[in-house]
Structures are given as structure tokens and as C-alpha cells.
Amino acid sequence: MKIPFLGNRPDKRGALDPEGIAGLLSECELLRSHAAGAGVELDDTAASLEALDQLLPRWRDDEEILPWLGNDAGLYLGTVIVRTVRGAAWEIRLDGQPVVRLASGREFDVVASGQEWAASGAPELSQLYGEVAEV
């Protein structure tokens, strides 16, 4: 199947170049919208993760938005890791789950982490980033 907005994809099923994957996963529209509404610019840096950690979690009252925002938070965390940690890259599991693979081979399920953060605020996104960046 060819999806027009993805451009010229290789015919190999499921294949998409790493930049294409990174671009799709970095969109995080719902999170970016919430952050912008609170005056927080998401510039794909560790500092922006710290700013997200300081937001009032008004989304926790909305059971419809909570899982989507958590998903976006995880994808944003992954985006920051991939763009700033040497050797980190996106990988899509066979089940379709995006994860970040570090140069050490360690796999990091950023979506699960983002959902935990959105639901409870812990662990903080900046703390998770710090743990990954140290490895």
C-alpha cells in the first residue's frame, strides 16, 4: 500500500527511512498545542522537557485526552533523546510500537513512559531524559 502523503516510499513493506520515521513521530500535535497554550515552546531540547514537567496537569481531568497526550509526551521525549543523545535512534517493533534504541543496545519504551508521566507526573520527563543521556 502506498500512502501519498508519505512520498516515495520503498516498496519493501513497512520500510521508511529513519528521517521519515523521526519526522512522523516528532509531530506530537496535541502536546505541542497544550504546551503552546501554556506559553511553553517545545524546541526539542532537554530544557523543554523541564518546562513540560512544570505544566499544571489539567489534562488529567479529561479521560479522552489523557492517553493521547501521554502518547504525545512519550513521542516527544523520544524525539528529544534521538536528536540529542549520540547513537540513539527510533525503532518500530513488529507490533508497531515505536521505541528508542540507544547505542548500547538498550531499548527504551518512551510511549509507556509518556503515558505514566501524563497520568501521574512521575517520573518526570526531564528525569527520564537524564537517566537515558547518562548511559
Side-chain angles (χ1 to χ4, degrees):
M1 174 172 77
K2 295 188 180 195
I3 303 172
F5 70 86
L6 292 178
N8 295 328
R9 288 185 60 184
D11 285 334
K12 184 177 174 186
R13 185 173 288 254
L16 187 63
D17 68 17
E19 286 182 29
I21 291 171
L24 289 172
L25 297 177
S26 70
E27 289 179 2
C28 313
E29 288 182 36
L30 182 60
L31 180 69
R32 290 182 188 277
S33 173
H34 271 68
V40 173
E41 180 187 354
L42 299 185
D43 59 1
D44 301 344
T45 64
S48 66
L49 294 172
E50 291 175 13
L52 282 174
D53 288 334
Q54 301 305 312
L55 291 179
L56 290 175
R58 292 188 174 104
W59 59 83
R60 289 190 192 137
D61 296 333
D62 189 335
E63 290 185 25
E64 263 185 57
I65 290 178
L66 182 64
W68 295 103
L69 191 101
N71 188 71
D72 274 10
L75 294 177
Y76 184 71
L77 172 61
T79 295
V80 174
I81 292 169
V82 167
R83 292 188 177 166
T84 62
V85 175
R86 182 184 302 267
W90 283 110
E91 187 172 298
I92 307 297
R93 291 185 191 158
L94 291 177
D95 66 359
Q97 180 73 10
V99 296
V100 172
R101 182 164 304 275
L102 303 176
S104 66
R106 180 177 168 213
E107 190 177 272
F108 190 59
D109 187 346
V110 291
V111 172
S113 296
Q115 290 173 339
E116 288 177 35
W117 173 82
S120 68
E124 292 182 337
L125 297 174
S126 59
Q127 176 186 353
L128 291 166
Y129 174 82
E131 291 171 10
V132 170
E134 289 178 3
V135 173

